[in-house]
Amino acid sequence: GGFTTFLAQAVGHQRVIALDMLPTMLASMRDRLPEVPAVVTNARVLPFGDDTLGAVMCWNGPHAMLYEDTAPVLAEIGRCLRPGGTFATYSFRNAEDPIYRHFVASIYLPQAEQGLEMYDLDEFKGWLDQAGLVVREESSVGLAFFISAEKRAPGERA
């Protein structure tokens, strides 16, 4: 809920919908932001119509997904964003360092009992392109990457 709090302050709580697959995460947010609607669901099937959202923020989230879920989730976000809509995210790149890889593979989350797998940045950007999203801004600090992308208009080329 920390990022949701910031977002609600920036754009107004009436323009924000919080979504998580873990009810405990949303319950924690609910104490601080009772006016923000909360939806418990897996992002592979978002409960929104095609081209209905103006923006999606998946902050501190992709690296907690199963690796194989990432492309379908990005495609689902692309389906729900309206043309010109913005997608903002940050996650982590993979590294060759065996200690880093061991640490990442050792992280336990209910949705990733076998540990996490970080991203090849070019592959991640390829999934964005396949979802109809054009990267408009990109930066990184260490292994973290930050991306802002926009949904292409119908017929617009990558």
Side-chain angles (χ1 to χ4, degrees):
F3 297 113
T4 307
T5 299
F6 170 76
L7 187 60
Q9 290 170 345
V11 302
H13 72 271
Q14 68 280 6
R15 297 182 67 200
V16 175
I17 301 169
L19 184 139
D20 203 294
M21 65 183 282
L22 300 175
T24 54
M25 296 295 280
L26 294 172
S28 173
M29 182 217 61
R30 174 73 58 221
D31 292 338
R32 285 174 278 137
L33 297 169
E35 66 279 0
V36 172
V39 178
V40 177
T41 189
N42 184 314
R44 283 185 76 136
V45 183
L46 294 173
F48 309 110
D50 295 356
D51 303 328
T52 57
L53 301 177
V56 172
M57 181 176 81
C58 186
W59 214 246
N60 196 29
H63 50 272
M65 295 179 203
L66 290 174
Y67 189 84
E68 59 268 17
D69 282 349
T70 309
V73 166
L74 294 175
E76 186 68 352
I77 289 168
R79 177 190 68 79
C80 295
L81 275 174
R82 62 178 159 244
T86 300
F87 173 64
T89 191
Y90 99 82
S91 194
F92 296 95
R93 291 182 289 119
N94 217 342
E96 294 302 318
D97 178 18
I99 295 172
Y100 175 79
R101 286 180 176 263
H102 173 77
F103 173 73
V104 167
S106 299
I107 295 172
Y108 170 83
L109 293 173
Q111 69 274 20
E113 294 180 11
Q114 304 304 314
L116 299 178
E117 186 175 346
M118 295 301 113
Y119 300 105
D120 172 85
L121 188 53
D122 289 334
E123 183 175 35
F124 191 90
K125 290 189 299 186
W127 294 332
L128 290 171
D129 181 59
Q130 291 169 8
L133 303 171
V134 178
V135 174
R136 298 293 187 208
E137 279 188 60
E138 165 187 355
S139 62
S140 61
V141 176
L143 293 171
F145 65 84
F146 304 83
I147 290 177
S148 177
E150 183 179 311
K151 184 171 179 179
R152 286 190 290 273
E156 181 182 349
R157 296 179 149 223

